[in-house]
Amino acid sequence: MALAGLTLASSPLVQADEGQWQPHQLPQLKAELKRIGIAIPAEKLADLSKHPMTAIVSLGGCSASFVSPTGLVVTNHHCAYGAVQRNSSAEKNYIANGFLAKSRAEELPAGPDSRMYITDKVENVTEQIMRGITPSMSGKQRHEHVENRIKNLIAECEQADGKNQAYRCSIPGFHRGLEYYRIRQMMIRDVRLVYAPSDKIGNYGGEVDNFEWPRHTGDYAFLRAYVGKDGRPADPSPDNVPYQSKDFLTVSAQGLKNGDPILLAGYPGLTSRYKLPEEIRYARDVSYPARAFESRSDISVIEAATAGNAEGKVRYASVVKGIQNRLKKTEGLLAGFARKDIAAIKDAQDAEFRSWVAQHYADKDFLKDLDAVIASDMALTEEEFAYSVASNSDLLKSARTLYRLALENQKPDAERKAGFQQRDLPFITARLSRLEQSYLPNVDQARFTAGLQRYNKLASKIHPQGLAQGLDILLPLPESVSAFYPLTELGDTAKRLAWIKKDVAEFRASKDAFIHLAVKLHDIGMQLEDRRQEVDGNLERVIPKYMQAVIAWKQSQGKPVYPDANSTLRVTYGTVAPYSPRDGVTKGPFTTVEGIAEKHTGKTPFIAPDNLLAAIKDKRYGVYKDPVLGTVPVNFLSSADTTGGNSGSAVLNKNGELIGLNFDSTYESITKDWYFDSAITRAIHVDIRYMLWVMQEVDHADNLLKEMRIRYPAR
């Protein structure tokens, strides 16, 4: 194909804050960074061994950063919510009352599945992955080839570390499979909860204010990384010691003003900026409405099943919060699609792109191939969604995982499916253990029954072949489902974990209701998986050709060229900025503590703590008082390009000092996952001054204030 040697760097003509940049791309953004006022050299930002990138942390779904030399990490309250919930009970409710460890001995385990990841090495392995691929391969053969290459290169990376498990390696695709990078991360396995304010601060406004502006949420919390006495990552143990952070961020209480530049570093989840118009219409018209309905239904079932049960409410608090957050984002995407016809915008871009390809490419057949593969992907996705609706039970999911593990254990480790190798066993164990704090049989039964009822109402054309026969032992509903739960021992954590070591014969002979069902459904699930591998292999064959052409087209226009987010380390930049969501209305860029008092009603979700309200009334603002606002700022807006996964990301000033935490986006911005509109796209951040003020005036977290290196404004 023509233009095969194009560079994936950005164009020097970029004039927007759009872009979730790989660190190695930043030197080519020198002019942009200088234009907005960033003082840190771009080469330094690109170096993972230098400050500030050495302080940036992934929590495996959220972002965070080191703020002390002894492993203290700051992130969002909602990112630490699972740790708070797991340590809470109806009698000791840290969600409602907050938690503060005044000493290291009081710090609590964040949970068996809690990890911190510090990226220290990134290398391009595209050539190694692609070596040996031939045009005659089927989609499944091609996908398996890529998967095997990835497993081998990961094993090579991790085996160099020996048996310590200090590092976790991965090889995600970039530009939808055009490039592959091997990423090595130090993996810290002993994570402890240090401090989280009450949800009356950390989640002030609740779902009412989620994705909204103005916002008044203190969405922050602290964790600490622990390691063995030799300084290397180790399994949780009372003998472990705080991790000696190679680097940490200075916290700046000196403040910001409108127009100031900011940098944001973290691990954004997934964006879809380069998807085709038909993929947007599928999401808008089919996928998102169905998923929103599913989320609303599941929340209703959980709330009904835990009504009047304080312990049940605590157990499922983190589950419900996660579903609610996904729902609010999905609803925001639908609202965004309704407000602006992004599909039509993409139609115009796609037509222009195809015209450009016709003029510059000799081989244009990949576009027809592309359209056919995308159609098959969307059709299969519908069946996979239907399967997930029908299997909405934590016990069934656990049984399916355990049986698949037993089957994979029959193979040499290198031949096992990714996710079921020896390296994955600690993660599987952690997921199975997590149910100890987030499972009740009556709730699981209600969710499973309702899911099956919803599945039966889905269009028959998206019912996976054979699934009806596999589920026939659960009919009639709900009587048969209720009869299942007395016939299983998987609700008991010890007995559930014991199945990890059992062989296939024991599974097939088992009378446990959920084990038996998992065995019965396995072949149906594998048929879907085999079809997915065929589709994915075809996507991996044609999408890179498409992306190569898109990159060349965009570069010919001087437009930004960056990969879609894929949960890897990225840097974005912008300025503190208000926005106008509609004619005659301007919002932002700051909110203040007075807004907390104004919103306070004494009813959920607008209940502010009494001591916080008293501090506002008495104007005990101290050094955290903004000279322009005349009070303490709570949240602020910036034009930085963010998405899910950026929660907890460090927001840095021009000198690389921590001045805020990313935690949300405005409702009007949610469609930025598909289309970046610089006029209205705004990220929402906690102002570090509010966090420090609450720590000092409300929660008296003096021990943590002393531990951090804080730069206060000159008096």
Side-chain angles (χ1 to χ4, degrees):
M1 179 176 289
L3 302 171
L6 62 90
T7 173
L8 298 186
S10 70
S11 162
L13 301 178
V14 177
Q15 289 291 320
D17 298 336
E18 176 182 356
Q20 296 170 342
W21 304 97
Q22 295 172 269
H24 75 259
Q25 293 181 291
L26 293 173
Q28 297 167 71
L29 290 166
K30 275 183 181 180
E32 271 298 284
L33 296 173
K34 183 178 180 180
R35 178 184 65 83
I36 68 167
I38 298 299
I40 312 170
E43 289 79 8
K44 189 176 181 183
L45 290 170
D47 192 337
L48 300 184
S49 68
K50 289 186 170 62
H51 180 87
M53 302 308 292
T54 41
I56 307 303
V57 177
S58 169
L59 300 179
C62 278
S63 303
S65 50
F66 286 115
V67 287
S68 91
T70 49
L72 186 67
V73 163
V74 67
T75 187
N76 285 159
H77 184 274
H78 75 261
C79 294
Y81 194 85
V84 178
Q85 180 265 321
R86 289 178 196 121
N87 286 289
S88 295
S89 64
E91 295 77 26
K92 193 182 290 184
N93 193 336
Y94 296 133
I95 297 172
N97 302 321
F99 171 78
L100 172 63
K102 285 287 192 178
S103 68
R104 304 275 168 81
E106 295 175 8
E107 295 174 358
L108 299 173
D113 57 339
S114 294
R115 300 285 189 277
M116 287 186 192
Y117 302 90
I118 308 161
T119 301
D120 76 338
K121 188 176 183 181
V122 177
E123 54 187 326
N124 192 323
V125 293
T126 308
E127 193 277 329
Q128 294 98 307
I129 296 292
M130 297 301 181
R131 190 183 303 150
I133 291 177
T134 64
S136 62
M137 287 180 169
S138 68
K140 187 172 187 291
Q141 289 172 332
R142 192 187 193 287
H143 182 77
E144 288 177 340
H145 174 92
V146 170
E147 191 174 63
N148 287 333
R149 288 280 186 180
I150 286 173
K151 286 192 294 186
N152 291 339
L153 287 168
I154 286 174
E156 175 186 278
C157 178
E158 292 181 347
Q159 287 167 4
D161 182 46
K163 297 182 179 180
N164 187 265
Q165 293 184 302
Y167 290 94
R168 181 83 173 176
C169 300
S170 62
I171 303 179
F174 292 76
H175 294 290
R176 301 187 78 179
L178 180 58
E179 288 188 319
Y180 291 88
Y181 284 83
R182 181 164 64 182
I183 299 171
R184 190 178 77 167
Q185 296 176 307
M186 177 179 283
M187 181 178 68
I188 293 174
R189 308 192 293 276
D190 190 346
V191 180
R192 303 185 195 178
L193 177 65
V194 178
Y195 164 50
S198 161
D199 66 349
K200 296 177 182 65
I201 293 171
N203 192 33
Y204 188 69
E207 291 308 310
V208 175
D209 272 6
N210 196 10
F211 290 112
E212 299 292 348
W213 186 266
R215 198 71 177 273
H216 299 84
T217 308
D219 199 347
Y220 70 89
F222 288 84
L223 304 169
R224 194 182 304 277
Y226 278 78
V227 293
K229 291 181 179 178
D230 60 358
R232 293 172 64 81
D235 290 332
S237 166
D239 296 328
N240 287 346
V241 297
Y243 172 65
Q244 298 299 304
S245 317
K246 180 179 181 181
D247 193 12
F248 62 95
L249 299 177
T250 295
V251 176
S252 174
Q254 294 178 320
L256 294 166
K257 63 181 183 302
N258 186 23
D260 279 353
I262 63 102
L263 282 170
L264 190 147
Y267 290 79
L270 296 172
T271 54
S272 305
R273 303 266 173 85
Y274 301 106
K275 289 203 171 182
L276 278 68
E278 55 263 38
E279 292 178 282
I280 294 174
R281 289 189 171 89
Y282 167 72
R284 181 193 68 191
D285 302 335
V286 179
S287 178
Y288 286 164
R291 281 154 181 75
F293 175 78
E294 184 65 17
S295 294
R296 284 192 291 268
S297 301
D298 200 20
I299 290 169
S300 296
V301 170
I302 295 172
E303 288 178 343
T306 57
N309 181 350
E311 186 65 29
K313 291 285 187 186
V314 170
R315 277 180 173 264
Y316 279 85
S318 183
V319 174
V320 170
K321 187 173 179 65
I323 300 172
Q324 285 175 330
N325 198 53
R326 291 192 297 273
L327 172 61
K328 188 68 179 279
K329 181 167 184 177
T330 303
E331 290 175 334
L333 284 162
L334 289 169
F337 287 143
R339 184 178 58 253
K340 176 170 283 192
D341 194 346
I342 294 174
I345 294 172
K346 290 282 188 175
D347 279 335
Q349 292 176 346
D350 189 58
E352 184 182 347
F353 163 69
R354 289 176 188 247
S355 174
W356 185 87
V357 168
Q359 297 174 46
H360 294 83
Y361 273 63
D363 175 16
K364 307 172 186 64
D365 290 342
F366 76 91
L367 290 174
K368 293 180 182 178
D369 197 7
L370 173 71
D371 294 336
V373 172
I374 292 297
S376 65
D377 176 43
M378 292 187 295
L380 180 56
T381 298
E382 283 300 281
E383 291 187 52
E384 293 167 333
F385 169 71
Y387 196 107
S388 71
V389 173
S391 54
N392 191 27
S393 158
D394 286 328
L395 291 195
L396 177 56
K397 292 171 187 174
S398 297
R400 288 174 60 198
T401 297
L402 288 162
Y403 183 49
R404 181 66 181 273
L405 180 63
L407 290 166
E408 296 295 333
N409 282 344
Q410 297 178 118
K411 309 172 188 176
D413 192 57
E415 297 176 17
R416 295 175 193 170
K417 179 73 176 176
F420 292 92
Q421 295 180 281
Q422 192 64 34
R423 68 192 288 269
D424 303 305
L425 193 56
F427 295 87
I428 293 173
T429 303
R431 287 199 303 271
L432 294 170
S433 300
R434 188 171 57 194
L435 291 186
E436 179 77 31
Q437 291 87 25
S438 59
Y439 166 81
L440 287 174
N442 72 299
V443 182
D444 198 66
Q445 179 182 318
R447 296 177 77 191
F448 192 19
T449 302
L452 288 166
Q453 291 169 332
R454 294 193 298 273
Y455 171 78
N456 288 335
K457 295 178 181 178
L458 294 174
S460 58
K461 67 178 182 179
I462 68 170
H463 285 194
Q465 186 175 3
L467 188 55
Q469 292 77 16
L471 294 170
D472 60 5
I473 58 175
L474 292 169
L475 298 175
L477 296 172
E479 294 85 356
S480 292
V481 175
S482 62
F484 250 56
Y485 284 79
L487 301 177
T488 183
E489 294 182 330
L490 290 185
D492 181 283
T493 300
K495 293 178 179 178
R496 185 168 60 251
L497 294 177
W499 279 96
I500 289 175
K501 297 182 179 180
K502 295 189 179 183
D503 60 29
V504 172
E506 291 175 282
F507 276 86
R508 292 175 176 169
S510 174
K511 302 300 182 184
D512 185 288
F514 279 99
I515 295 292
H516 177 69
L517 181 60
V519 172
K520 187 175 182 182
L521 294 178
H522 177 74
D523 288 345
I524 301 164
M526 286 304 300
Q527 289 172 14
L528 277 178
E529 185 175 305
D530 288 344
R531 290 169 59 199
R532 170 49 63 192
Q533 288 189 325
E534 178 69 22
V535 169
D536 282 354
N538 287 326
L539 287 169
E540 290 159 3
R541 172 175 51 80
V542 70
I543 291 287
K545 297 178 183 178
Y546 165 69
M547 283 306 305
Q548 190 175 45
V550 167
I551 289 166
W553 173 59
K554 282 183 173 288
Q555 287 188 335
S556 74
Q557 300 172 317
K559 291 185 177 179
V561 180
Y562 55 89
D564 266 321
N566 60 355
S567 299
T568 59
L569 181 59
R570 303 294 179 92
V571 177
T572 182
Y573 58 86
T575 56
V576 177
Y579 75 110
S580 178
R582 57 188 180 276
D583 184 52
V585 176
T586 300
K587 294 186 175 185
F590 290 96
T591 58
T592 70
V593 292
E594 275 70 25
I596 297 172
E598 289 172 6
K599 283 184 175 180
H600 173 74
T601 63
K603 295 181 181 179
T604 304
F606 297 106
I607 306 174
D610 291 341
N611 52 355
L612 186 144
L613 291 172
I616 297 171
K617 183 179 179 181
D618 296 341
K619 298 187 182 299
R620 298 198 303 268
Y621 300 150
V623 295
Y624 308 113
K625 178 180 177 179
D626 184 275
V628 175
L629 300 172
T631 182
V632 179
V634 178
N635 298 147
F636 68 95
L637 299 174
S638 86
S639 59
D641 189 352
T642 63
T643 189
N646 273 128
S647 291
S649 290
V651 184
L652 309 175
N653 64 16
K654 65 180 181 180
N655 298 315
E657 298 166 330
L658 185 69
I659 44 85
L661 300 175
N662 183 74
F663 74 96
D664 208 351
S665 297
T666 58
Y667 200 66
E668 297 84 3
S669 302
I670 294 178
T671 47
K672 66 184 173 183
D673 282 2
W674 295 81
Y675 173 75
F676 189 92
D677 184 341
S678 59
I680 62 169
T681 298
R682 295 294 180 269
I684 305 176
H685 317 299
V686 182
D687 194 300
I688 213 74
R689 291 169 289 179
Y690 178 63
M691 183 184 89
L692 298 173
W693 179 75
V694 171
M695 293 173 72
Q696 179 175 306
E697 290 292 335
V698 179
D699 287 340
H700 307 293
D702 304 315
N703 54 317
L704 300 182
L705 291 170
K706 290 177 182 177
E707 183 175 346
M708 294 186 288
R709 184 168 66 196
I710 304 172
R711 194 185 305 280
Y712 291 100
R715 292 180 181 272

